[in-house]
Amino acid sequence: MNPKIANKIADAVIYILVAVVVIILALLIGFILITGVPHISWHFLTSVSQAFAAGGGIRDQLFNSIYLLILTLIISFPIALGSGIYLAEYAPKNWFTNLIQTAIEVLSSLPSIIVGLFCYLLFVIKLQLGFSILSGAIALTFFNLPLLTRNIQESLESVPDLQREAGASLGLSRWKTITGIIFPIAIPGIITGIILSAGRVFGEAAALIYTAGESAPVINYGDFNPFNTASFLNPMRPAETLAVHIWKVNTEGVTPDASAISSGSSAVLIIVILIFNLGAHYIGKRLYAKMTASK
Amino acid sequence: MDQIKAKLMKPSRETKQETVGKIISYTCIVAIMLLVLLVLYFIISFGMSTFTTNHVNLWSFLSGTNWNPSQLDAHGNPEVGALPMIVTSFAVTVLSALVATPFAIAVALFMTIIAPKHGKGFLQSIIELLVGIPSVVYGYIGLTLVVPFIRGIYGGTGFGILSGTIVLFVMVLPTITSMTVDSLKAVPRYYLEASLALGATRWQTIYKVILRAATPGILTAIIFGMARAFGEALAVQMVIGNATLMPKSLLTPAATLTSQLTTGIGNTVMGSLPNNALWSLALILLLMSLVFNIAVKFVGSKGDLNK
């Protein structure tokens, strides 16, 4: 075939394929927002969900998702920070470091259902934590750790060595250099990573079905004692999140307005995750400009 | 004199700081290692119990086509044939990767070579958005759009491998695309320039030079996409139909390893055979995820451009 004609055909094919992808995405987002947004109302966001009747809201599910996210970050961030520092600053180039890297890769590629089942086995049954927010947060920690560790490691590694040399020439210990000089420079990148991982944690459901459970008991938002069973802060209560709620009403639920609830909840999820994504870019840029001398 | 000597001999404040810091970071990394080992140990030991405690034959487990763990077959053996789930899992994985790859490569070429100016920002944000959509939302869309669509065209229930493939195609597309973009960007620019200078058309350059050089990277991307498809649970579970039958066509309801786990674990008693059999399915999933990992390492080490 004439190469010039072949070139034209190939171009056309590529343009068509790209157009198809763009159309698919437009359809997806359009469908979620057009069918979902009309269902979002103050009533929908602030009323209790109904198991058998129509007109239920997502108040508890929304709160559970946020609470679970915060607990997960509290557990996973310190571990990820320590490991990230080790990998970026201390790790020698040997078989042990290779082993660690491989272990982290394995952890990040484990299907989330496997992580969920493992946590069900160990924490829900063996350690008798039951279906609880705490079990859910631990499961999500497994899910979140490799992403966050990798992100912190990369953020720390992207700091120029000049800064480390400056710290060493001042007679500071390496640890002091890391915590006092390197870490603050890396903060914008780390914050961006945290927000992006928060988006993924927020939408995760497979790991939560058997750890945080599928039920949302009535909770009292006026009770600030985390040791009371009815308190909204109690980490030992079962807690259905928004993503699990969408799954449940579509597969196991008998709610008559399942499609309205799931389209509304999907739209809420997408909007929250969009905010996370845009926020990550914005905050990352702002922080970088603020904490370093560059513009 | 002695005071100074003592001071010199003792570790300084900085040394102590350093030790503390090392201990902290070391503890964290060891904690992660332990977590991974714990997961592997628990899933493997529970997954093996079907074969060790219940004495199910490994081969009959892998090749049997009847999945009904609470009942005995004609020979008095429990009916735990996992083949239908294994076949379905592989079918949706391979099919969705096959469909997604041309689209992913086209989008990646568009973003890096054909129209980097317009393509980059816009398509980049599209890809990021697709990655961010939670899997239950994909499942819900599959349930309300894809399943009725398939039902309308081909009849039947609409649930099945075809619906699963379509949903997974959209889910793995961003994974494969973004990694293909990275591997195309890693091809040195002078490859492109040299080829164009020799008078090759853009397509000849892409096909004969760029794609060849980026092949290992693209293969890695496809394996990552397949790993994601293989492990995806809820989105598939919502559209596959959940019937543990040997799939006869792309349109009949079937069940994947993950969907069977999702629906089954809550309905079986811990320690019983039906439950152990499910853990064995989880073990297969785990082993496959390790296989994908090894494949990535293997392909990656084969084609390092900077070697």
Side-chain angles (χ1 to χ4, degrees), chain B residues 35-194:
Chain B
L35 289 184
V36 177
L37 287 179
L38 261 182
V39 175
L40 295 182
Y41 169 74
F42 266 87
I43 303 285
I44 290 174
S45 67
F46 267 73
M48 290 306 288
S49 61
T50 315
F51 312 112
T52 53
T53 328
N54 303 103
H55 303 293
V56 172
N57 186 307
L58 176 64
W59 179 243
S60 69
F61 180 81
L62 290 177
S63 64
T65 53
N66 289 319
W67 178 266
N68 209 345
S70 52
Q71 286 180 1
L72 301 179
D73 67 3
H75 306 288
N77 296 320
E79 294 188 337
V80 279
L83 192 63
M85 276 84 82
I86 298 175
V87 169
T88 313
S89 272
F90 274 101
V92 288
T93 304
V94 172
L95 285 177
S96 57
L98 272 183
V99 181
T101 303
F103 286 95
I105 293 178
V107 173
L109 285 173
F110 191 85
M111 283 167 72
T112 49
I113 294 166
I114 295 182
K117 266 190 200 145
H118 308 289
K120 217 172 144 198
F122 177 60
L123 282 170
Q124 185 80 40
S125 46
I126 283 190
I127 301 293
E128 277 175 16
L129 232 145
L130 276 176
V131 175
I133 298 178
S135 64
V136 275
V137 175
Y138 279 116
Y140 164 67
I141 291 171
L143 202 59
T144 46
L145 282 186
V146 178
V147 171
F149 180 71
I150 303 279
R151 189 188 301 145
I153 294 180
Y154 297 104
T157 58
F159 292 99
I161 294 179
L162 186 59
S163 306
T165 304
I166 294 175
V167 169
L168 281 178
F169 152 67
V170 184
M171 295 186 73
V172 298
L173 186 63
T175 313
I176 303 182
T177 308
S178 59
M179 292 185 67
T180 305
V181 168
D182 292 342
S183 71
L184 288 181
K185 274 187 190 154
V187 176
R189 182 143 182 93
Y190 54 77
Y191 279 31
L192 176 88
E193 285 160 359

Side-chain angles (χ1 to χ4, degrees), chain A residues 7 10-11 15 25 28-29 82 86 90 102 109-110 114 117 121 173-175 203 205 210 247 259 262-263 281, chain B residues 14 17-18 21 25-26 32 110 128-130 134 140-141 202-203 234 237 262 266 270 279 282 286 293 297:
Chain A
N7 190 35
D11 268 9
Y15 272 91
L25 183 91
L28 270 177
I29 299 291
Y86 178 81
Y90 288 124
T102 314
S109 69
L110 280 183
I114 294 278
L117 287 178
L121 194 64
S173 65
R174 262 163 97 190
W175 180 249
Y210 293 114
W247 178 75
S259 78
S262 24
S263 53
H281 283 289
Chain B
E14 269 66 32
Q17 266 177 5
E18 181 68 9
S25 63
Y26 212 75
I32 290 196
F110 191 85
E128 277 175 16
L129 232 145
L130 276 176
Y140 164 67
I141 291 171
R202 190 164 65 189
W203 173 243
L234 296 189
Q237 191 262 343
T262 317
M270 207 67 207
W279 286 106
L286 180 79
N293 258 303
K297 284 243 145 130

Side-chain angles (χ1 to χ4, degrees), chain A residues 171-219:
Chain A
L172 298 176
S173 65
R174 262 163 97 190
W175 180 249
K176 189 76 196 159
T177 312
I178 294 163
T179 50
I181 302 174
I182 311 291
F183 181 63
I185 304 174
I187 279 183
I190 294 175
I191 298 272
T192 311
I194 292 177
I195 299 175
L196 286 178
S197 76
R200 301 179 101 148
V201 166
F202 202 74
E204 175 56 32
L208 288 177
I209 295 174
Y210 293 114
T211 50
E214 293 174 47
S215 57
V218 179
I219 44 178

